[in-house]
Amino acid sequence: MSTISREVAGKVCVITINRPQVRNAIDRPTAQALLAALEAFEADDSLRVAVLTGSAGSFCAGADLAAVAQDGERRNALQWPGEAPLGPSRLLLSKPLIASIEGHAVAGGLELALLADMRVAADDAVLGVFCRRFGVPLIDGGSVRLPRLIGQSRALDLILTGRPVLAGEALHMGLVNRVVPQGEALTAALALAQQLADFPQACLLADRASVYQQWELPLQAALEAEFKGGLAVINSGESRAGAQRFTQGSGRHGRFGDKA
């Protein structure tokens, strides 16, 4: 059985880590398969949003420490540039990715969740830098993305202590975006993915790109990039078409059910 599965529903695809015997921990073949699955999503123009999840009630427990203990498999993956040790964590996706988190998203599993634009967690989910206790460093983006997401002080709390963070606290600090009842994370993530897929895409992708690009730019350069990206959307006709739909009654009173 493949350790990574991929299912497509319309314009949304679901990518599932399938190693339940080790809480979906990632070994080298799984890392390569996960990278391939996300690269295929990126290259497929018919797909607009991806959902990353894990099987059997767990998101991902990080790197497979049994493989790490053997040294060779993981050491062969330690290089720059190139693919990340866990596979896709150096990817710069141009389309939204949503993480659906049941159970544990810890160590490298947390780093994979941080790759996503948004995270939907079950109310029993546990997140944390559990690799702290074993001397395994964050080399899949955790020390970079976590402070950008929740701020340096909170990130250092999690990174230095390795303590568990339950879903409620994770929501409070902005580590996750939605908390739903146990067993419903994937359903909620798919509903969110479908909502994003139904929006006018040129505008959504331009705004998303501006958010990520601004980290590297001074304020004026970031504002210029935002304007140029938005102007391209306006010149494409998408904004005018949306305004026409509004004048015809679409989306009135905050209604979001109307498709582009």
Side-chain angles (χ1 to χ4, degrees):
M1 182 183 297
S2 173
T3 58
I4 298 293
S5 65
R6 180 174 176 271
E7 298 179 23
V8 173
K11 298 173 182 177
V12 175
C13 76
V14 178
I15 298 169
T16 304
I17 306 168
N18 189 29
R19 299 190 76 218
Q21 71 277 14
V22 287
R23 289 191 176 181
N24 300 318
I26 306 290
D27 61 3
R28 191 70 194 138
T30 304
Q32 293 172 328
L34 182 56
L35 174 61
L38 280 168
E39 288 179 331
F41 159 68
E42 175 73 8
D44 191 336
D45 291 337
S46 70
L47 297 174
R48 293 184 172 183
V49 185
V51 174
L52 177 62
T53 190
S55 64
S58 187
F59 180 73
C60 176
D64 187 338
L65 293 186
V68 173
Q70 295 173 0
D71 191 62
E73 178 190 277
R74 187 170 175 90
R75 188 167 296 278
N76 290 338
L78 300 181
Q79 56 185 339
W80 187 281
E83 64 185 66
L86 292 181
S89 55
R90 295 176 191 163
L91 276 182
L92 300 176
L93 294 170
S94 65
K95 300 182 285 187
L97 173 66
I98 298 170
S100 165
I101 302 171
E102 298 274 355
H104 285 72
V106 296
L110 175 61
E111 293 183 285
L112 288 178
L114 295 175
L115 177 64
D117 298 273
M118 301 177 72
R119 285 149 293 280
V120 177
D123 57 13
D124 67 335
V126 179
L127 301 91
V129 186
F130 282 18
C131 49
R132 174 59 52 235
R133 66 194 73 177
F134 302 115
V136 178
L138 296 172
I139 52 175
D140 281 87
S143 67
V144 177
R145 292 191 177 99
L146 192 58
R148 291 186 178 193
L149 187 67
I150 64 174
Q152 181 170 303
S153 178
R154 281 174 165 161
L156 284 171
D157 177 7
L158 272 60
I159 290 169
L160 297 181
T161 69
R163 69 179 179 86
V165 178
L166 304 184
E169 183 184 4
L171 180 65
H172 177 72
M173 67 172 60
L175 182 54
V176 302
N177 304 91
R178 308 278 193 279
V179 173
V180 298
Q182 179 183 358
E184 297 183 14
L186 181 56
T187 298
L190 285 170
L192 179 58
Q194 189 60 59
Q195 180 185 8
L196 300 188
D198 286 343
F199 284 139
Q201 289 297 292
C203 181
L204 182 144
L205 295 179
D207 288 346
R208 177 186 180 276
S210 178
V211 169
Y212 284 110
Q213 291 168 359
Q214 62 84 26
W215 286 107
E216 304 173 7
L217 300 173
L219 177 60
Q220 287 300 315
L223 292 172
E224 180 183 1
E226 178 195 59
F227 174 75
K228 289 181 177 179
L231 185 60
V233 174
I234 292 170
N235 289 338
S236 75
E238 186 175 272
S239 301
R240 184 169 185 269
Q244 289 174 337
R245 290 198 308 276
F246 177 79
T247 62
Q248 295 165 2
S250 175
R252 294 291 179 87
H253 310 295
R255 188 171 65 246
F256 270 71
D258 302 316
K259 296 184 179 181

